[in-house]
Amino acid sequence: RVCVLERYLVPGGSGARYRREGYSFDVGASMIFGLGEGAGYTNLLTRALRLVSKRVESIPDPVQVHYHLPEGLDVQVHREYEEFLRELISKFPHEEKGIRSFYGHCWNVFNALNSMELLSLEDPSYLLAVFALHPLSCLTLLRYIPFNTGGFAREHIRDPALLRFIDIECFIFSVVPAGSTPMINSGMVFCDRHYGGINYPRGGVASMAEALVEGLRERGSVVEFGARVTGVLMEGGEAVGVRMADGREIWGKAVVSNATRWDTFGEKGLVPPEETPELEKRFLKNYVKTPSFVSVHLGVRADAIPADTVVHHVFLEDWKKMECSQDAEGVIFLSIPTVLDPSLAPAGQHIFHVFTPSFIDEWQGLNAAEYAAKKAAFASRLIARLETRFPGLGAAV
């Protein structure tokens, strides 16, 4: 039995939904990994649901993402691995050997990860602990742990344009370029999209969290919403419970925090500073926060969307702005989940979820009128940029 304490009012967090005028909008990303049905351990969502005897019907997505990049580079990452390779090689025929070699190494990482229980992707101590059970897989992972993806890619690829493509391949899941993305993380993402695939939960992303809550409660566990934890209770250097905003203290055999590491161990974190482990102090000192996102949720007339449009898109006009996180000038992510599940919108309509990196600092200190004006300006700029692919989009909203 577990006790889940959720500060939000509905399950899911960024995997929740909200409804307006017949639309059901996913709060966060619609590109879902981990719902595959294949053998192995990387289908984490399927396995989590299975633990509470639940299953969510999902719709396979034939294309993970359609890139619209500078210099006219236009690439679709197909679910079928060889189809993706053929498309990428057609753009860079002189790099066929390097492309196959680089992504082949990614499969080495993925196959090793898929053979064992996944507790940590980057912790050598975990790999040593399971070495006796999976010696070859552990040795494989230990080989790749020291590498970042950018450095490893440069061992196989020379074309600067193709290396920039590897950068944005990493950026869309890590929000940093390949040089700051561990090779072990890229191996997981670059291959699971072909192995387990991207699968959209029918009825919306929130159906996964709602099924988990139902399954937990059926087994006697407790799930509370609007439950704010203000601190972690410690005894002898071990977490033994939590303190609630309403004064309650809830004790348990184990405590799992789904807050960020900064909110868990930071200066004003849930764990008292004097109890913060040295490992976490080093993490807080060495790592920088990546930006969050500004999201714009739109209802769009279906006749404004070409018939061959896929669900997920990434737009960038200038490589120098890939890491930009201000004024809606950086990478644009677009998801159109109604391509797969039309039931999410009224007849004849699509959902556009448009989002771009932005730090919260950009929005703090604004009064209500300034906030509304900035929000409108952000939406207008994003729509204007998308009209290069979807002419007349603004008039179709």
Side-chain angles (χ1 to χ4, degrees), residues 373-385:
K374 186 173 180 66
K375 187 167 65 170
F378 246 75
S380 295
R381 176 60 181 147
L382 292 172
I383 291 170
R385 290 176 61 191

Side-chain angles (χ1 to χ4, degrees), residues 327 358 362-363 366 369-379:
D327 300 324
S358 174
E362 191 175 2
W363 298 85
L366 303 177
E370 292 169 336
Y371 175 79
K374 186 173 180 66
K375 187 167 65 170
F378 246 75

Side-chain angles (χ1 to χ4, degrees), residues 122-135:
E122 302 166 38
D123 183 1
S125 63
Y126 164 69
L127 297 179
L128 292 173
V130 298
F131 184 84
L133 295 175
H134 307 281

Side-chain angles (χ1 to χ4, degrees), residues 5 228-245 248-266 268-277 280:
L5 303 166
R228 184 163 72 91
V229 174
T230 58
V232 174
L233 303 173
M234 306 290 292
E235 283 188 0
E238 299 288 332
V240 294
V242 295
R243 182 179 297 107
M244 307 298 295
R248 288 181 296 157
E249 292 184 346
I250 300 175
W251 302 77
K253 295 179 180 178
V255 178
V256 178
S257 172
N258 195 37
T260 69
R261 290 175 90 156
W262 289 271
D263 290 331
T264 302
F265 296 107
K268 298 180 180 179
L270 298 174
V271 174
E274 65 274 13
E275 298 280 3
T276 298
E280 296 300 332

Side-chain angles (χ1 to χ4, degrees), residues 271-339:
V271 174
E274 65 274 13
E275 298 280 3
T276 298
E278 287 301 317
L279 176 66
E280 296 300 332
K281 291 179 181 178
R282 290 197 297 272
F283 177 92
L284 295 172
K285 181 180 179 181
N286 295 332
Y287 282 74
V288 296
K289 297 178 182 178
T290 56
S292 185
F293 293 90
V294 169
S295 287
V296 178
H297 297 97
L298 305 172
V300 177
R301 289 200 322 271
D303 59 19
I305 313 303
D308 60 350
T309 301
V310 302
V311 179
H312 303 292
H313 302 257
V314 168
F315 294 84
L316 181 65
E317 301 91 346
D318 184 347
W319 287 114
K320 293 179 181 178
K321 292 186 176 181
M322 187 179 76
E323 296 182 76
C324 178
S325 55
Q326 284 189 316
D327 300 324
E329 293 298 330
V331 174
I332 294 179
F333 299 79
L334 167 64
S335 291
I336 315 173
T338 41
V339 168

